[in-house]
């Protein structure tokens, strides 16, 4: 699970409990919005330098694992 990990933090004290990238105030939803709009990971990282490429890749890999597990 991603919640309260090195990837994502969920706390009522940070952005009212919105899932954010750990160590930042950047909502995970912002990454998803960028990707849905056809923007690249690099575009997202340029706009939000407090998020690391490793965090983004780890989030996507974990989401993939969870989706594959549901389908398998």
């Amino acid at each position: 699970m991603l919640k309260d990990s090195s990837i994502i933090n969920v706390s009522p004290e940070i952005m009212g409990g919105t899932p954010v990238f750990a160590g930042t105030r950047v909502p995970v939803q912002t990454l998803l919005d960028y990707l849905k709009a056809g923007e690249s990971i690099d575009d997202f990282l340029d706009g939000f330098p407090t998020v690391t490429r490793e965090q983004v890749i780890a989030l996507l890999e974990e989401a993939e694992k969870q989706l594959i597990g549901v389908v398998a």
Side-chain angles (χ1 to χ4, degrees), residues 47-63:
F48 300 94
T50 57
V51 179
T52 67
R53 177 174 299 280
E54 290 76 19
Q55 286 175 302
V56 170
I57 298 303
L59 171 74
L60 295 174
E61 287 175 345
E62 186 60 33

mmCIF file with all atom_site columns, all heavy atoms in Angstrom, residues 47-63:
data_model
loop_
_atom_site.group_PDB
_atom_site.id
_atom_site.type_symbol
_atom_site.label_atom_id
_atom_site.label_alt_id
_atom_site.label_comp_id
_atom_site.label_asym_id
_atom_site.label_entity_id
_atom_site.label_seq_id
_atom_site.pdbx_PDB_ins_code
_atom_site.Cartn_x
_atom_site.Cartn_y
_atom_site.Cartn_z
_atom_site.occupancy
_atom_site.B_iso_or_equiv
_atom_site.pdbx_formal_charge
_atom_site.auth_seq_id
_atom_site.auth_comp_id
_atom_site.auth_asym_id
_atom_site.auth_atom_id
_atom_site.pdbx_PDB_model_num
ATOM 1   N N   . GLY A 1 47 ? 7.773  21.393 -13.324 1.00 0.00 ? 47 GLY A N   1
ATOM 2   C CA  . GLY A 1 47 ? 6.840  22.251 -12.606 1.00 0.00 ? 47 GLY A CA  1
ATOM 3   C C   . GLY A 1 47 ? 6.836  22.045 -11.103 1.00 0.00 ? 47 GLY A C   1
ATOM 4   O O   . GLY A 1 47 ? 6.431  22.924 -10.346 1.00 0.00 ? 47 GLY A O   1
ATOM 5   N N   . PHE A 1 48 ? 7.288  20.872 -10.672 1.00 0.00 ? 48 PHE A N   1
ATOM 6   C CA  . PHE A 1 48 ? 7.258  20.525 -9.247  1.00 0.00 ? 48 PHE A CA  1
ATOM 7   C C   . PHE A 1 48 ? 8.589  19.907 -8.837  1.00 0.00 ? 48 PHE A C   1
ATOM 8   O O   . PHE A 1 48 ? 8.699  18.695 -8.620  1.00 0.00 ? 48 PHE A O   1
ATOM 9   C CB  . PHE A 1 48 ? 6.091  19.570 -8.964  1.00 0.00 ? 48 PHE A CB  1
ATOM 10  C CG  . PHE A 1 48 ? 4.770  20.180 -9.308  1.00 0.00 ? 48 PHE A CG  1
ATOM 11  C CD1 . PHE A 1 48 ? 4.198  19.965 -10.560 1.00 0.00 ? 48 PHE A CD1 1
ATOM 12  C CD2 . PHE A 1 48 ? 4.113  21.003 -8.406  1.00 0.00 ? 48 PHE A CD2 1
ATOM 13  C CE1 . PHE A 1 48 ? 2.995  20.552 -10.899 1.00 0.00 ? 48 PHE A CE1 1
ATOM 14  C CE2 . PHE A 1 48 ? 2.902  21.599 -8.735  1.00 0.00 ? 48 PHE A CE2 1
ATOM 15  C CZ  . PHE A 1 48 ? 2.342  21.376 -9.984  1.00 0.00 ? 48 PHE A CZ  1
ATOM 16  N N   . PRO A 1 49 ? 9.626  20.737 -8.720  1.00 0.00 ? 49 PRO A N   1
ATOM 17  C CA  . PRO A 1 49 ? 10.979 20.220 -8.466  1.00 0.00 ? 49 PRO A CA  1
ATOM 18  C C   . PRO A 1 49 ? 11.168 19.558 -7.103  1.00 0.00 ? 49 PRO A C   1
ATOM 19  O O   . PRO A 1 49 ? 12.181 18.900 -6.888  1.00 0.00 ? 49 PRO A O   1
ATOM 20  C CB  . PRO A 1 49 ? 11.862 21.465 -8.612  1.00 0.00 ? 49 PRO A CB  1
ATOM 21  C CG  . PRO A 1 49 ? 10.948 22.623 -8.398  1.00 0.00 ? 49 PRO A CG  1
ATOM 22  C CD  . PRO A 1 49 ? 9.602  22.185 -8.882  1.00 0.00 ? 49 PRO A CD  1
ATOM 23  N N   . THR A 1 50 ? 10.206 19.700 -6.197  1.00 0.00 ? 50 THR A N   1
ATOM 24  C CA  . THR A 1 50 ? 10.344 19.026 -4.904  1.00 0.00 ? 50 THR A CA  1
ATOM 25  C C   . THR A 1 50 ? 10.012 17.542 -5.003  1.00 0.00 ? 50 THR A C   1
ATOM 26  O O   . THR A 1 50 ? 10.337 16.770 -4.093  1.00 0.00 ? 50 THR A O   1
ATOM 27  C CB  . THR A 1 50 ? 9.448  19.670 -3.829  1.00 0.00 ? 50 THR A CB  1
ATOM 28  O OG1 . THR A 1 50 ? 8.093  19.638 -4.269  1.00 0.00 ? 50 THR A OG1 1
ATOM 29  C CG2 . THR A 1 50 ? 9.881  21.096 -3.544  1.00 0.00 ? 50 THR A CG2 1
ATOM 30  N N   . VAL A 1 51 ? 9.388  17.128 -6.092  1.00 0.00 ? 51 VAL A N   1
ATOM 31  C CA  . VAL A 1 51 ? 9.095  15.711 -6.331  1.00 0.00 ? 51 VAL A CA  1
ATOM 32  C C   . VAL A 1 51 ? 10.250 15.126 -7.132  1.00 0.00 ? 51 VAL A C   1
ATOM 33  O O   . VAL A 1 51 ? 10.732 15.741 -8.086  1.00 0.00 ? 51 VAL A O   1
ATOM 34  C CB  . VAL A 1 51 ? 7.769  15.535 -7.105  1.00 0.00 ? 51 VAL A CB  1
ATOM 35  C CG1 . VAL A 1 51 ? 7.489  14.066 -7.368  1.00 0.00 ? 51 VAL A CG1 1
ATOM 36  C CG2 . VAL A 1 51 ? 6.610  16.180 -6.356  1.00 0.00 ? 51 VAL A CG2 1
ATOM 37  N N   . THR A 1 52 ? 10.691 13.941 -6.753  1.00 0.00 ? 52 THR A N   1
ATOM 38  C CA  . THR A 1 52 ? 11.795 13.310 -7.475  1.00 0.00 ? 52 THR A CA  1
ATOM 39  C C   . THR A 1 52 ? 11.274 12.339 -8.542  1.00 0.00 ? 52 THR A C   1
ATOM 40  O O   . THR A 1 52 ? 10.157 11.820 -8.435  1.00 0.00 ? 52 THR A O   1
ATOM 41  C CB  . THR A 1 52 ? 12.710 12.522 -6.523  1.00 0.00 ? 52 THR A CB  1
ATOM 42  O OG1 . THR A 1 52 ? 11.987 11.400 -5.999  1.00 0.00 ? 52 THR A OG1 1
ATOM 43  C CG2 . THR A 1 52 ? 13.231 13.396 -5.392  1.00 0.00 ? 52 THR A CG2 1
ATOM 44  N N   . ARG A 1 53 ? 12.095 12.132 -9.533  1.00 0.00 ? 53 ARG A N   1
ATOM 45  C CA  . ARG A 1 53 ? 11.766 11.148 -10.568 1.00 0.00 ? 53 ARG A CA  1
ATOM 46  C C   . ARG A 1 53 ? 11.558 9.778  -9.922  1.00 0.00 ? 53 ARG A C   1
ATOM 47  O O   . ARG A 1 53 ? 10.669 9.029  -10.318 1.00 0.00 ? 53 ARG A O   1
ATOM 48  C CB  . ARG A 1 53 ? 12.884 11.084 -11.616 1.00 0.00 ? 53 ARG A CB  1
ATOM 49  C CG  . ARG A 1 53 ? 12.656 10.023 -12.693 1.00 0.00 ? 53 ARG A CG  1
ATOM 50  C CD  . ARG A 1 53 ? 13.699 10.093 -13.782 1.00 0.00 ? 53 ARG A CD  1
ATOM 51  N NE  . ARG A 1 53 ? 13.683 11.367 -14.468 1.00 0.00 ? 53 ARG A NE  1
ATOM 52  C CZ  . ARG A 1 53 ? 12.817 11.703 -15.428 1.00 0.00 ? 53 ARG A CZ  1
ATOM 53  N NH1 . ARG A 1 53 ? 11.908 10.852 -15.820 1.00 0.00 ? 53 ARG A NH1 1
ATOM 54  N NH2 . ARG A 1 53 ? 12.872 12.886 -16.002 1.00 0.00 ? 53 ARG A NH2 1
ATOM 55  N N   . GLU A 1 54 ? 12.365 9.460  -8.929  1.00 0.00 ? 54 GLU A N   1
ATOM 56  C CA  . GLU A 1 54 ? 12.243 8.165  -8.254  1.00 0.00 ? 54 GLU A CA  1
ATOM 57  C C   . GLU A 1 54 ? 10.870 8.006  -7.607  1.00 0.00 ? 54 GLU A C   1
ATOM 58  O O   . GLU A 1 54 ? 10.287 6.924  -7.641  1.00 0.00 ? 54 GLU A O   1
ATOM 59  C CB  . GLU A 1 54 ? 13.352 8.015  -7.203  1.00 0.00 ? 54 GLU A CB  1
ATOM 60  C CG  . GLU A 1 54 ? 14.737 7.856  -7.796  1.00 0.00 ? 54 GLU A CG  1
ATOM 61  C CD  . GLU A 1 54 ? 15.355 9.157  -8.327  1.00 0.00 ? 54 GLU A CD  1
ATOM 62  O OE1 . GLU A 1 54 ? 14.908 10.272 -7.942  1.00 0.00 ? 54 GLU A OE1 1
ATOM 63  O OE2 . GLU A 1 54 ? 16.280 9.065  -9.153  1.00 0.00 ? 54 GLU A OE2 1
ATOM 64  N N   . GLN A 1 55 ? 10.354 9.080  -7.009  1.00 0.00 ? 55 GLN A N   1
ATOM 65  C CA  . GLN A 1 55 ? 9.013  9.020  -6.415  1.00 0.00 ? 55 GLN A CA  1
ATOM 66  C C   . GLN A 1 55 ? 7.952  8.758  -7.480  1.00 0.00 ? 55 GLN A C   1
ATOM 67  O O   . GLN A 1 55 ? 7.048  7.950  -7.273  1.00 0.00 ? 55 GLN A O   1
ATOM 68  C CB  . GLN A 1 55 ? 8.680  10.315 -5.669  1.00 0.00 ? 55 GLN A CB  1
ATOM 69  C CG  . GLN A 1 55 ? 9.395  10.473 -4.347  1.00 0.00 ? 55 GLN A CG  1
ATOM 70  C CD  . GLN A 1 55 ? 9.109  11.809 -3.720  1.00 0.00 ? 55 GLN A CD  1
ATOM 71  O OE1 . GLN A 1 55 ? 9.364  12.859 -4.316  1.00 0.00 ? 55 GLN A OE1 1
ATOM 72  N NE2 . GLN A 1 55 ? 8.584  11.782 -2.498  1.00 0.00 ? 55 GLN A NE2 1
ATOM 73  N N   . VAL A 1 56 ? 8.053  9.452  -8.602  1.00 0.00 ? 56 VAL A N   1
ATOM 74  C CA  . VAL A 1 56 ? 7.071  9.282  -9.679  1.00 0.00 ? 56 VAL A CA  1
ATOM 75  C C   . VAL A 1 56 ? 7.117  7.850  -10.214 1.00 0.00 ? 56 VAL A C   1
ATOM 76  O O   . VAL A 1 56 ? 6.079  7.196  -10.354 1.00 0.00 ? 56 VAL A O   1
ATOM 77  C CB  . VAL A 1 56 ? 7.308  10.305 -10.808 1.00 0.00 ? 56 VAL A CB  1
ATOM 78  C CG1 . VAL A 1 56 ? 6.454  9.983  -12.025 1.00 0.00 ? 56 VAL A CG1 1
ATOM 79  C CG2 . VAL A 1 56 ? 7.030  11.719 -10.315 1.00 0.00 ? 56 VAL A CG2 1
ATOM 80  N N   . ILE A 1 57 ? 8.310  7.352  -10.490 1.00 0.00 ? 57 ILE A N   1
ATOM 81  C CA  . ILE A 1 57 ? 8.447  6.003  -11.029 1.00 0.00 ? 57 ILE A CA  1
ATOM 82  C C   . ILE A 1 57 ? 7.949  4.973  -10.018 1.00 0.00 ? 57 ILE A C   1
ATOM 83  O O   . ILE A 1 57 ? 7.237  4.024  -10.374 1.00 0.00 ? 57 ILE A O   1
ATOM 84  C CB  . ILE A 1 57 ? 9.911  5.721  -11.442 1.00 0.00 ? 57 ILE A CB  1
ATOM 85  C CG1 . ILE A 1 57 ? 10.353 6.683  -12.550 1.00 0.00 ? 57 ILE A CG1 1
ATOM 86  C CG2 . ILE A 1 57 ? 10.091 4.271  -11.863 1.00 0.00 ? 57 ILE A CG2 1
ATOM 87  C CD1 . ILE A 1 57 ? 9.513  6.674  -13.808 1.00 0.00 ? 57 ILE A CD1 1
ATOM 88  N N   . ALA A 1 58 ? 8.305  5.158  -8.747  1.00 0.00 ? 58 ALA A N   1
ATOM 89  C CA  . ALA A 1 58 ? 7.847  4.219  -7.712  1.00 0.00 ? 58 ALA A CA  1
ATOM 90  C C   . ALA A 1 58 ? 6.324  4.227  -7.608  1.00 0.00 ? 58 ALA A C   1
ATOM 91  O O   . ALA A 1 58 ? 5.705  3.164  -7.460  1.00 0.00 ? 58 ALA A O   1
ATOM 92  C CB  . ALA A 1 58 ? 8.476  4.571  -6.367  1.00 0.00 ? 58 ALA A CB  1
ATOM 93  N N   . LEU A 1 59 ? 5.711  5.390  -7.701  1.00 0.00 ? 59 LEU A N   1
ATOM 94  C CA  . LEU A 1 59 ? 4.248  5.482  -7.664  1.00 0.00 ? 59 LEU A CA  1
ATOM 95  C C   . LEU A 1 59 ? 3.634  4.724  -8.838  1.00 0.00 ? 59 LEU A C   1
ATOM 96  O O   . LEU A 1 59 ? 2.715  3.920  -8.660  1.00 0.00 ? 59 LEU A O   1
ATOM 97  C CB  . LEU A 1 59 ? 3.802  6.941  -7.708  1.00 0.00 ? 59 LEU A CB  1
ATOM 98  C CG  . LEU A 1 59 ? 2.307  7.146  -7.898  1.00 0.00 ? 59 LEU A CG  1
ATOM 99  C CD1 . LEU A 1 59 ? 1.563  6.825  -6.621  1.00 0.00 ? 59 LEU A CD1 1
ATOM 100 C CD2 . LEU A 1 59 ? 1.998  8.527  -8.376  1.00 0.00 ? 59 LEU A CD2 1
ATOM 101 N N   . LEU A 1 60 ? 4.146  4.942  -10.023 1.00 0.00 ? 60 LEU A N   1
ATOM 102 C CA  . LEU A 1 60 ? 3.612  4.276  -11.216 1.00 0.00 ? 60 LEU A CA  1
ATOM 103 C C   . LEU A 1 60 ? 3.839  2.767  -11.151 1.00 0.00 ? 60 LEU A C   1
ATOM 104 O O   . LEU A 1 60 ? 2.953  1.984  -11.527 1.00 0.00 ? 60 LEU A O   1
ATOM 105 C CB  . LEU A 1 60 ? 4.227  4.876  -12.478 1.00 0.00 ? 60 LEU A CB  1
ATOM 106 C CG  . LEU A 1 60 ? 3.871  6.349  -12.729 1.00 0.00 ? 60 LEU A CG  1
ATOM 107 C CD1 . LEU A 1 60 ? 4.658  6.879  -13.922 1.00 0.00 ? 60 LEU A CD1 1
ATOM 108 C CD2 . LEU A 1 60 ? 2.383  6.539  -12.926 1.00 0.00 ? 60 LEU A CD2 1
ATOM 109 N N   . GLU A 1 61 ? 4.998  2.357  -10.668 1.00 0.00 ? 61 GLU A N   1
ATOM 110 C CA  . GLU A 1 61 ? 5.273  0.915  -10.547 1.00 0.00 ? 61 GLU A CA  1
ATOM 111 C C   . GLU A 1 61 ? 4.342  0.260  -9.531  1.00 0.00 ? 61 GLU A C   1
ATOM 112 O O   . GLU A 1 61 ? 3.841  -0.843 -9.764  1.00 0.00 ? 61 GLU A O   1
ATOM 113 C CB  . GLU A 1 61 ? 6.732  0.675  -10.174 1.00 0.00 ? 61 GLU A CB  1
ATOM 114 C CG  . GLU A 1 61 ? 7.683  0.945  -11.313 1.00 0.00 ? 61 GLU A CG  1
ATOM 115 C CD  . GLU A 1 61 ? 9.145  0.834  -10.932 1.00 0.00 ? 61 GLU A CD  1
ATOM 116 O OE1 . GLU A 1 61 ? 9.477  0.820  -9.713  1.00 0.00 ? 61 GLU A OE1 1
ATOM 117 O OE2 . GLU A 1 61 ? 9.984  0.775  -11.852 1.00 0.00 ? 61 GLU A OE2 1
ATOM 118 N N   . GLU A 1 62 ? 4.100  0.932  -8.414  1.00 0.00 ? 62 GLU A N   1
ATOM 119 C CA  . GLU A 1 62 ? 3.203  0.373  -7.396  1.00 0.00 ? 62 GLU A CA  1
ATOM 120 C C   . GLU A 1 62 ? 1.769  0.317  -7.918  1.00 0.00 ? 62 GLU A C   1
ATOM 121 O O   . GLU A 1 62 ? 1.064  -0.673 -7.687  1.00 0.00 ? 62 GLU A O   1
ATOM 122 C CB  . GLU A 1 62 ? 3.276  1.197  -6.110  1.00 0.00 ? 62 GLU A CB  1
ATOM 123 C CG  . GLU A 1 62 ? 2.492  0.608  -4.973  1.00 0.00 ? 62 GLU A CG  1
ATOM 124 C CD  . GLU A 1 62 ? 2.929  -0.785 -4.554  1.00 0.00 ? 62 GLU A CD  1
ATOM 125 O OE1 . GLU A 1 62 ? 4.123  -1.099 -4.633  1.00 0.00 ? 62 GLU A OE1 1
ATOM 126 O OE2 . GLU A 1 62 ? 2.049  -1.569 -4.146  1.00 0.00 ? 62 GLU A OE2 1
ATOM 127 N N   . ALA A 1 63 ? 1.346  1.342  -8.630  1.00 0.00 ? 63 ALA A N   1
ATOM 128 C CA  . ALA A 1 63 ? 0.006  1.334  -9.224  1.00 0.00 ? 63 ALA A CA  1
ATOM 129 C C   . ALA A 1 63 ? -0.116 0.187  -10.220 1.00 0.00 ? 63 ALA A C   1
ATOM 130 O O   . ALA A 1 63 ? -1.138 -0.514 -10.253 1.00 0.00 ? 63 ALA A O   1
ATOM 131 C CB  . ALA A 1 63 ? -0.271 2.676  -9.904  1.00 0.00 ? 63 ALA A CB  1
#
